[in-house]
C-alpha cells in the first residue's frame, strides 16, 4: 500500500461536503469519492497491479444491492449467472479427478498473488480459510459451508461413473467460477481468475470427491 498524507486522502470527501453548501451530493458523488480515495491509496507493485481495483458487472450490481440492503433483482442475477457460466472451461482431457493428497496441500496453502510472489509461482487455494474440509484439520473458517463428506453425502462412490457426472460437473463449474451458480457468491473464482490451474483444480476435485480422500471417510 502506498503511503499518503491522510488529509490528501480525504480531499474528495471534503469537496463533497463543501459542495453540499449549494447542492446535496448524490450517492454517485459519494461512490466516486470513495473510489478516488481507494485508487489514490494503492500503487502497482510486482504482480499486484491496479487492475485489481476494477469491478466487473457482477461486482457493481452485487455491491449496490448490498448497500441498498436488498437482494439483487432476479433478472439481473440470472443474467450474471448466464454470463459467468459461459466462462467455465472444462478439463482439456475430459478428466476431472486428480490426486487428493495434492488437493489437501492446495487447500491448506494460502500462498500466492501478493506483490512479492512470482507470476509463474503456483498459488494455494486457501480453502480452509472459509470451509471445514477434512476432520484432521481442526482450524478452519466458517464463512462457507462445511465440505466434510462432500462426495459421500452426494452419493459419489465412483467420480468417474456416469451416475456421478452431474455432481462432478457441478463441482468443477462451482470451483471454476462460483458466480455461474450464484450471482453474488463471495467464493473466489479460482479457475476463471487464474488462481488455480487445471491440474490443481483436478487435485482439489479429488480431495472433495475421491472416496479414498479423508473428506469422505
Amino acid at each position: 500500500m502506498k503511503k499518503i498524507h491522510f488529509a490528501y486522502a480525504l480531499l474528495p470527501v471534503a469537496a463533497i461536503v463543501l459542495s453540499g453548501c449549494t447542492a446535496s451530493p448524490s450517492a454517485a458523488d459519494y461512490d466516486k469519492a470513495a473510489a478516488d480515495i481507494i485508487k489514490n491509496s494503492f500503487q502497482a507493485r510486482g504482480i499486484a497491479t491496479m487492475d485489481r481495483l476494477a469491478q466487473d458487472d457482477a461486482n457493481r450490481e452485487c455491491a449496490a444491492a448490498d448497500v441498498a440492503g436488498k437482494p439483487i433483482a432476479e433478472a439481473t442475477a440470472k443474467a450474471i449467472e448466464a454470463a459467468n457460466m459461459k466462462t467455465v472451461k472444462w478439463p482439456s482431457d475430459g478428466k476431472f479427478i486428480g490426486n487428493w493428497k495434492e488437493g489437501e496441500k492446495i487447500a491448506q496453502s494460502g500462498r500466492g498473488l501478493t506483490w512479492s510472489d512470482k507470476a509463474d509461482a503456483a498459488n494455494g487455494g486457501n480453502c480452509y480459510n472459509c470451509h471445514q474440509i477434512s476432520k484432521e484439520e481442526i482450524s478452519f473458517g466458517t464463512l462457507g459451508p462445511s465440505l466434510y463428506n462432500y462426495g459421500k453425502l452426494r452419493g459419489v462412490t465412483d467420480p468417474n461413473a456416469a451416475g456421478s457426472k452431474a455432481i462432478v460437473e457441478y463441482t468443477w463449474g462451482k470451483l471454476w467460477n462460483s458466480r455461474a451458480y450464484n450471482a453474488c457468491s463471495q467464493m473466489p473464482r479460482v479457475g476463471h481468475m487464474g488462481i488455480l490451474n487445471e491440474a490443481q483444480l483436478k487435485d482439489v476435485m479429488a480431495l472433495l470427491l475421491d472416496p479414498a480422500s479423508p473428506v469422505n471417510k
Side-chain angles (χ1 to χ4, degrees):
M1 180 179 288
K2 181 172 64 176
K3 293 182 179 180
I4 59 172
H5 194 282
F6 183 69
Y8 175 74
L10 293 180
L11 282 177
V13 175
I16 286 179
V17 172
L18 291 174
S19 68
C21 297
T22 56
S24 298
S26 66
D29 291 328
Y30 284 115
D31 288 343
K32 184 179 184 305
D36 288 343
I37 290 173
I38 294 172
K39 185 176 181 180
N40 289 330
S41 298
F42 289 86
Q43 64 180 4
R45 190 173 182 187
I47 64 171
T49 58
M50 297 298 287
D51 62 354
R52 298 190 181 196
L53 300 181
Q55 288 187 314
D56 60 16
D57 290 340
N59 293 137
R60 284 188 291 271
E61 294 289 348
C62 294
D66 188 50
V67 170
K70 60 182 181 181
I72 192 171
E74 183 176 357
T76 301
K78 289 185 179 299
I80 289 173
E81 290 165 6
N84 281 275
M85 180 61 76
K86 292 179 181 178
T87 74
V88 176
K89 294 181 180 179
W90 306 103
S92 56
D93 59 0
K95 298 178 181 179
F96 290 85
I97 306 300
N99 184 327
W100 69 260
K101 293 181 180 179
E102 293 303 312
E104 173 68 13
K105 294 176 185 177
I106 293 166
Q108 289 279 358
S109 174
R111 188 62 186 166
L113 301 176
T114 69
W115 67 269
S116 60
D117 292 302
K118 302 297 183 182
D120 59 353
N123 300 313
N126 206 23
C127 308
Y128 279 101
N129 197 50
C130 295
H131 301 278
Q132 177 189 32
I133 304 178
S134 69
K135 282 290 188 179
E136 287 75 10
E137 177 55 75
I138 62 173
S139 178
F140 55 84
T142 56
L143 182 62
S146 171
L147 299 178
Y148 181 62
N149 277 177
Y150 181 87
K152 186 176 182 179
L153 290 173
R154 290 159 179 79
V156 178
T157 56
D158 179 2
N160 296 307
S164 301
K165 181 179 179 180
I167 188 62
V168 168
E169 290 186 347
Y170 164 78
T171 306
W172 180 274
K174 185 77 172 181
L175 288 170
W176 188 276
N177 188 342
S178 60
R179 286 187 171 174
Y181 302 89
N182 179 349
C184 293
S185 173
Q186 297 300 306
M187 180 174 170
R189 295 173 281 178
V190 296
H192 179 56
M193 301 304 291
I195 299 170
L196 300 180
N197 60 36
E198 183 177 299
Q200 289 178 305
L201 279 171
K202 289 182 180 183
D203 291 338
V204 175
M205 289 282 289
L207 179 65
L208 296 175
L209 293 166
D210 190 335
S213 167
V215 171
N216 296 309
K217 298 297 186 181

